[in-house]
Amino acid sequence: MINRELLRPESIVVIGGSNNVHKPGGAVVRNLQSGGYQGTLRIVNPKEDEVQGIKAFHDVKELPPTELAILVVAAKYCPDYVEYLAAEKQCKAFIIISAGFGEETAAGAALEKRILDSCERHGSALIGPNCIGLLTSWHHSVFTKPIPQLNPKGVDFISGSGATAVFILESAVIKGLQFNSVWSIGNGKQIGIEDVLQYMDEHFDAEHDSHVKLLYIENISNPDKLLFHAGSLIRKGCRIAAIKAGSSESGSRAASSHTGAIASSDSAVEALFRKAGIVRCFSREELTTVGCIFTLPAIKGKNFAIVTHAGGPGVMLTDALSKGGLNVPPISGKLSEELKSKLFPGASVANPIDILATGTPEHLGLAIDYCEQHFPDIDAIMVIFGTPGLVQLYETYDVLHKKILECKKPVFPILPSLHTAGPEVEEFLKKGHVNFSDEVTLATALTQIMRTPQPAPPEIELFGVDVPRIREIIAGVKENGYVAPSVVHDLLESAGIPLVPEAVSDNIDTLTEFAERVGYPVVAKVVGPVHKSDVGGVALNIRSKEHLKLEFERMMKIADAHSVMVQKMISGTELFIGAKYEPRFGHVVLCGLGGIFVEVLKDVSSGLAPLSYAEAYSMIHSLRGYKIIQGTRGQKGINEKRYAEIIVRLSTLLRFATEIKEMDINPLLADENQVTAVDARILIEK
């Protein structure tokens, strides 16, 4: 629970506050005072009469009623302090800096539970334990530095790690990124990242609250809550970016399906973020760079102009933007020649616009003005300007400052000379700007933002999916494990997923009759072994009754074989769709190029069922092999609309069949007209 006493306490007591500002107890007191806390600040220290100019209480029993307590004492003392303060001093909020709880030992976990029980019993809010504290404009209840510049329109930052929060703040401060609040939730026994988002969502004031949230997450304890409130905030106009640490796995898991081998907790995180509309980041620098981008006007297109006085960084930025699917279009024509005539001889305006190392502040202003006013195809402007130390840049950066305020198009300042032009950059940042000192990091962050879809609608796509029939089929499955091909066929058919004509039998006459009815060539596949290709259980391009009989006899001798499937042979681009049930998250749906390469290349995208059409298209477009799907080197592309439709239909099937724990459709064969499921496996556990 988050209450008024936690956010705007009229009185604060630091249990363990001291005169030593090099220890947490002293640093908290220092930060509270230097942060301008206007309420009553009290200190409990049995050995000091005065702490940093404040009269100290020697015993907690001497305290008057106090709204917020910050505990900076050994873990073993914390439960008794919390119980006494909540019961006797009407304390309704606690921030426990101390470590040594559930993150270390079972005994520490027991102490933590006592604290939580006291807080729940007395209706008190709890941040921590094992955190750096809470930083707001009302009170700086943290023991660390740096203390960033606070601004009501700055970033709300929520972190599951105190030390990482400090390092992220370090990265942000040098970029000029301002903050509204910093939440370090520590062990998050009562208030986790999801709870902070819930509070921000339910109390959101579009006029006064921050519209940017940055998250550092180590554990997603409630994916549904995170999804709901993050998506809700983004729909209200907020922008959210997050790092989810600890998603890799030590080695490949043994699994009986392609999806099982590929899907992981990281796939679930990727899917959750995609559905919520959260921009996923993978480093501190990337997270703070995305945060800086979020403070600028929203980009309305993918076309960028680069204004620079140094050719190399302009080229590197062009390469990085192009790699991310963004454009640096050529600029030409009468107006570009007009601009060139106003620059020094040798300048280039082709884009990047290179005003040369000798270019003046006036030249910089001219180039920005032309991009803003005369080049309508340009959506945003990137300015790279540093110095080799020959001149100062105050005048240049003042021009840049004025143009940022005047331009309707976003202007991205890339000022790389943090050492040589340090004072000039610092003065520029003090005017409320941000700085992207590395052009490639900026391009990478922009790419992540542009690839992130809007939050998915909560409605489920039901058209063409026979939910009662799906439930009837699932109810008819009596044993756990991979189900028979007939059950697979019925489930996919009930979801409206196109299937290649097929017959399954242990009787060769039945199979030859089917083959002659649909017409040769056909494909034969053994039924029984999970990985048919590994045991020689697939035969393609069978063109006669005699050939089919030979393959049937061979396959029936394979270990665990009990029948053979014959399908009409069709051709097309091989695609893949799979799904795996992840505890707490639900079904993670994967898509990608199919066949034997799905595990080798691992070029797959993930989404969280149920999926919208927008999510399905986003998954398809984010594949590295998307150009194959579009069509390349004279080959026609596939019917992308049908592929997206099958992904959505499959996700709806899974939403109403949670007993399905793993499944593959591999391959689907696709051409410009149709996408058809050729082979599928479904694992059911009830």
Side-chain angles (χ1 to χ4, degrees), residues 79-97:
D80 290 339
Y81 273 127
V82 170
E83 177 60 31
Y84 181 82
L85 288 165
E88 303 298 330
K89 302 299 180 180
Q90 295 81 56
C91 192
K92 291 296 183 183
F94 294 90
I95 298 173
I96 301 181
I97 304 293

Side-chain angles (χ1 to χ4, degrees), residues 440-472:
V440 175
T441 303
L442 170 59
T444 302
L446 272 169
T447 299
Q448 284 295 96
I449 291 171
M450 302 297 273
R451 285 178 176 174
T452 303
Q454 288 297 302
E459 297 80 19
I460 300 174
E461 299 283 352
L462 290 171
F463 181 75
V465 180
D466 189 343
V467 175
R469 175 63 179 147
I470 289 168
R471 291 310 311 160
E472 181 183 333

